[in-house]
Amino acid sequence: MLILGIESSCDETAAAVVSDKKEILSNVIYSQIVEHKSFGGVVPEIAARAHLEKIDVVVRKALSDANVGLSDLEAIAGTCGPGLIGGVIVGATFAKALAMSSGLPFIAVNHIEAHALCARLTNDMAFPYLLMLASGGHCQLCIVRGVDDFEVLGTTIDDSVGEAFDKVAKLLELGYPGGPIIEKTAQLGDASKFVLPHPMCVKNTMDFSFSGLKTAVKVAAEKCETERDKIDLCACFQKTVIEVLRYKITQAIKHCLKEKIKISCVVMSGGVAANQAICKSLESLCAEFYLPFIAPPIRLCTDNGAMIAWLGVEKCLSQKFDELNFAPRPRWPLN
Ligand code: KG4
Ligand code: ZN
């Protein structure tokens, strides 16, 4: 079974062909970083126009790289939300039009769910598992029980983790996107130089808050006198994010133990899962609880078409198809 997946919810135009045997036959990603760089963040209208310009080239390449035609496919899956609505409309409409013209079933994919199930494409793992989803647009701690079956334990009340990385990088004038630059800079810094707050790590809640941390970095940055101070601040910020994630994930694991929910592993996905310092620390935390820690390979952590196609495979296997009038959704919570 082969599924074409199309993604356009943020600043990557992407398409991929994936099989039910977990083979990624193609995975084409056009990143719009160049278009948005000078603005220091994603500009929705520019993103929508860039998706429109590139979508046919990207989809065509995904099919030709996989060496398949539309008639070889079982269904077409397209991100229908959540995300920047202009971009979502471009990808969803393209996917629907292709499905209609080729007579194939259409699958409306929730972008967050695609991140959540993506680890199953590269790893054999059973439901239920604990998921820490940390991307630019989303921050969710949940139990994944199956396709379309989630229990959300915590979410952010303000910024997402990736957003915090991007905003901190912007205020330290390091460039965009912030995550990879901060990770690289943090390696050179002294992570004990500044003491930063750990928002919402005292209360018995699995929700997150990162906007106070960002403000604390801003206040500290104003006192930085040298480049060295800025580098150290980066290291302190990343260390604090790691400590917050460890605190929340520990709470979630303890919740599962208390409620006798037998999770098979802890998964980290979304763009922030590309951060090796975070993954290394979480891996050792999970080991303390005798739980495997799994993060998809970096190219599947950030937005891509393969995760959309894979959720298409999972849904196709359970015959979950959607109507062509499925409306694109700027917001689409997991539960
Ligand atoms: O999943 P993704 O590609 O897009 C969304 O669905 O939002 O995630 C992008 C986010 C950005 O905020 C980016 O700064 C962050 O992931 N990111 C990282 C790293 N690589 C990407 N954050 C921390 N460390 C990284 N190495
Ligand atoms: Zn994403």
Side-chain angles (χ1 to χ4, degrees), residues 233-249:
L233 188 51
C234 263
C236 294
F237 165 72
Q238 183 173 279
K239 186 188 92 171
T240 307
V241 170
I242 291 173
E243 287 166 353
V244 170
L245 292 175
R246 285 178 67 103
Y247 180 88
K248 298 292 172 181
I249 291 171

Side-chain angles (χ1 to χ4, degrees), residues 190-208:
D190 172 3
S192 62
K193 183 90 157 270
F194 299 86
V195 178
L196 297 170
H198 295 64
M200 294 180 76
C201 284
V202 281
K203 285 192 250 161
N204 186 20
T205 168
M206 284 177 268
D207 284 334
F208 300 80

Side-chain angles (χ1 to χ4, degrees), residues 99-113:
M100 189 167 80
S101 60
S102 54
L104 290 169
F106 170 68
I107 299 166
V109 165
N110 177 318
H111 180 91
I112 313 180
E113 186 173 9

Side-chain angles (χ1 to χ4, degrees), residues 250-322:
T250 302
Q251 273 196 317
I253 294 173
K254 285 183 176 166
H255 166 83
C256 292
L257 289 170
K258 189 165 153 248
E259 300 296 321
K260 298 196 172 23
I261 303 163
K262 286 207 163 103
I263 50 170
S264 65
C265 58
V266 177
V267 172
M268 168 106 181
S269 74
V272 182
N275 187 301
Q276 294 307 296
I278 293 179
C279 287
K280 233 173 122 189
S281 177
L282 295 183
E283 188 170 15
S284 71
L285 170 73
C286 293
E288 288 171 26
F289 291 94
Y290 304 100
L291 282 166
F293 173 81
I294 294 168
I298 291 175
R299 75 198 154 87
L300 298 181
C301 286
T302 46
D303 287 351
N304 63 87
M307 68 180 193
I308 308 301
W310 173 250
L311 183 52
V313 168
E314 298 246 33
K315 289 198 166 219
C316 197
L317 288 171
S318 34
Q319 296 290 298
K320 290 181 180 216
F321 301 112
D322 295 282

Side-chain angles (χ1 to χ4, degrees), residues 7 9-12 111 115 133-138 160-166 177-184 238 269-276 278 298 301-304 307:
E7 158 61 29
S9 65
C10 190
D11 58 346
E12 271 100 12
H111 180 91
H115 274 303
L133 168 55
S135 71
H138 318 289
S160 69
V161 191
E163 205 174 347
F165 269 92
D166 293 334
I181 305 172
I182 291 201
E183 180 177 14
K184 220 167 145 202
Q238 183 173 279
S269 74
V272 182
N275 187 301
Q276 294 307 296
I278 293 179
I298 291 175
C301 286
T302 46
D303 287 351
N304 63 87
M307 68 180 193

Side-chain angles (χ1 to χ4, degrees), residues 52-108:
L52 196 54
E53 222 165 85
K54 286 283 186 282
I55 192 125
D56 56 334
V57 182
V58 167
V59 172
R60 223 183 272 275
K61 185 159 166 43
L63 292 171
S64 73
D65 282 4
N67 203 18
V68 298
L70 289 171
S71 58
D72 299 309
L73 302 172
E74 199 78 20
I76 294 176
T79 300
C80 283
L84 303 173
I85 195 63
V88 174
I89 289 172
V90 171
T93 310
F94 196 91
K96 287 178 192 175
L98 214 51
M100 189 167 80
S101 60
S102 54
L104 290 169
F106 170 68
I107 299 166

